[in-house]
Amino acid sequence: MQYKKSDFYYDLPEELIAQSPAEPRDSSRLLVYDRASDRVEHKIFKDITGYLKKGDVLVVNNTKVLPARLYAHTENGGAVEVMLLKRLEKDIWEVLVKPGKKCSVGKRLIISDNLSLTVEGITDSGERIVRFYYDGVFEEILDKAGSMPLPPYIKSKLKDKNRYQTVYAKRDGSAAAPTAGLHFTPALLQGLKDKGVEIAEVLLHVGLGTFRPVKEDIITDHKMHSEYFEVGADAAETVNRAKREGRRVIVVGTTSVRTLESVADENGFLKPCSGNTEIFIYPPYKFKCVDALVTNFHLPESTLVMLVAALCGREKILELYKTAVNEKYRFFSFGDAMLIL
């Protein structure tokens, strides 16, 4: 069957779009859907410990969000917003710029006394390839000059920028947070480990392409942007051992799903590797490695809601989202979560 973008539309009242994260992190709500029994339960996120058991492997994405939004000006004083997308070489990045007309090849933009860039190229889709100039350590300069790239539907200012990072974030490189992981606390993770749940860390640097709207009517015409991933030897061995022994692989977030499914062979086994993935998962995709998923509630007609629909069916996911709306769950990046078993 050829699905249309409109097949993944649902109505969402604006007041259900979360503007700030829950405090504490694990106090957000959790909609639990068991596919085998077709049962729905309404819980608090910290109750997730009751659904995970000894021997389960919980796979998380340990990427760290860069303060990727920069405010620059041209040498003539014109304001330009720069969003870091992907590091191509040491000081060369792919970025989004706004407005584009001020950013022709050769143009210099000034961000601070110690940070500037020049535009070296323009991609087919209009992103700029830029080279940064600075004295010192780029990450330290960026930390001072940049701000967190919150999605446009979040109108409130974030008081603590660490709330847009997971507690296990390690590797700088994302333009957006892997938001399903925002609900975990160190204590909750330790409780899962004490119970015998194994934690496997993979990496996928989240690009804005993940959140780009699907413009094509027929979803198979949509092309995903590539994102960098890594699956290390330890994570591959932890997942493979679970697969061999018939234990569950429970994945936190659509980014971790895309990483595992990009790497897995027909039987769900992983090999250590790194590279770029453009995998686009939508119904009736057959999952090779992923047994269960922790995820947030995603935008209508987005590639993310299509991925979740592939796990439990388009009609069922729309029914679950309708339930979440009726129950006044909070949606999107700072919203509540789902556990699909």
Side-chain angles (χ1 to χ4, degrees), residues 84-88 94-95 123 125 127 129 173-175 203-212 222-230 255 258-259 262 274-280 303:
L84 303 183
L85 294 182
K86 190 192 291 184
R87 188 178 226 148
L88 304 177
E94 182 181 325
V95 303
T123 69
S125 47
E127 288 86 8
I129 308 300
S174 276
L203 173 79
L204 183 133
H205 285 324
V206 189
L208 293 183
T210 299
F211 305 97
R212 278 235 167 94
H222 176 73
K223 187 177 186 310
M224 295 287 280
H225 276 62
S226 75
E227 292 167 313
Y228 179 77
F229 72 86
E230 287 180 14
T255 62
R258 293 177 65 240
T259 303
S262 294
S274 63
N276 291 293
T277 181
E278 295 175 359
I279 192 170
F280 180 17
T303 60

Side-chain angles (χ1 to χ4, degrees), residues 68-70 81-85 94-97 149-150 175 208:
R69 181 173 275 127
L70 297 163
E81 186 178 314
V82 178
M83 178 77 79
L84 303 183
L85 294 182
E94 182 181 325
V95 303
L96 275 178
V97 293
L150 294 181
L208 293 183

Side-chain angles (χ1 to χ4, degrees), residues 13-84:
E14 199 174 332
E15 64 268 20
L16 296 184
I17 299 173
Q19 293 298 311
S20 57
E23 290 296 349
R25 288 173 183 259
D26 58 2
S27 67
S28 49
R29 294 168 73 195
L30 181 69
L31 187 154
V32 182
Y33 174 59
D34 187 312
R35 289 175 290 166
S37 63
D38 195 31
R39 185 178 173 198
V40 175
E41 294 179 279
H42 302 289
K43 299 286 184 178
I44 301 301
F45 193 83
K46 63 186 174 187
D47 298 333
I48 198 168
T49 52
Y51 296 90
L52 272 62
K53 56 181 190 279
K54 183 177 180 178
D56 285 340
V57 173
L58 190 71
V59 180
V60 301
N61 178 6
N62 66 12
T63 190
K64 194 171 185 182
V65 185
L66 290 163
R69 181 173 275 127
L70 297 163
Y71 297 98
H73 59 87
T74 65
E75 290 175 304
N76 300 329
V80 179
E81 186 178 314
V82 178
M83 178 77 79
L84 303 183

Side-chain angles (χ1 to χ4, degrees), residues 25 61-68 83 148-151 153-154 158 161-169 171 173-183 204-208 210-211 227 252-256 295-296 298 304 332-334:
R25 288 173 183 259
N61 178 6
N62 66 12
T63 190
K64 194 171 185 182
V65 185
L66 290 163
M83 178 77 79
M148 278 295 172
L150 294 181
Y153 50 75
I154 294 175
L158 189 60
K161 63 183 179 185
N162 284 324
R163 282 305 275 110
Y164 197 55
Q165 303 280 18
T166 63
V167 296
Y168 45 76
R171 301 272 305 278
S174 276
T179 54
L182 296 177
H183 308 282
L204 183 133
H205 285 324
V206 189
L208 293 183
T210 299
F211 305 97
E227 292 167 313
V252 178
T254 57
T255 62
S256 302
T295 187
N296 279 20
H298 304 294
L304 305 175
F332 305 164
S333 294
F334 285 144

Side-chain angles (χ1 to χ4, degrees), residues 297-315:
F297 294 96
H298 304 294
L299 276 76
E301 299 183 339
S302 65
T303 60
L304 305 175
V305 83
M306 293 168 192
L307 183 152
V308 182
L311 195 61
C312 57
R314 185 191 75 90
E315 293 80 7

Side-chain angles (χ1 to χ4, degrees), residues 230-272:
E230 287 180 14
V231 175
D234 288 351
E237 179 49 35
T238 299
V239 170
N240 291 345
R241 199 166 55 242
K243 283 286 170 195
R244 282 195 297 272
E245 295 170 7
R247 295 185 275 118
R248 294 187 301 181
V249 175
I250 299 168
V251 181
V252 178
T254 57
T255 62
S256 302
V257 171
R258 293 177 65 240
T259 303
L260 295 194
E261 293 295 316
S262 294
V263 172
D265 67 15
E266 252 74 287
N267 301 308
F269 292 106
L270 310 178
K271 62 180 187 302

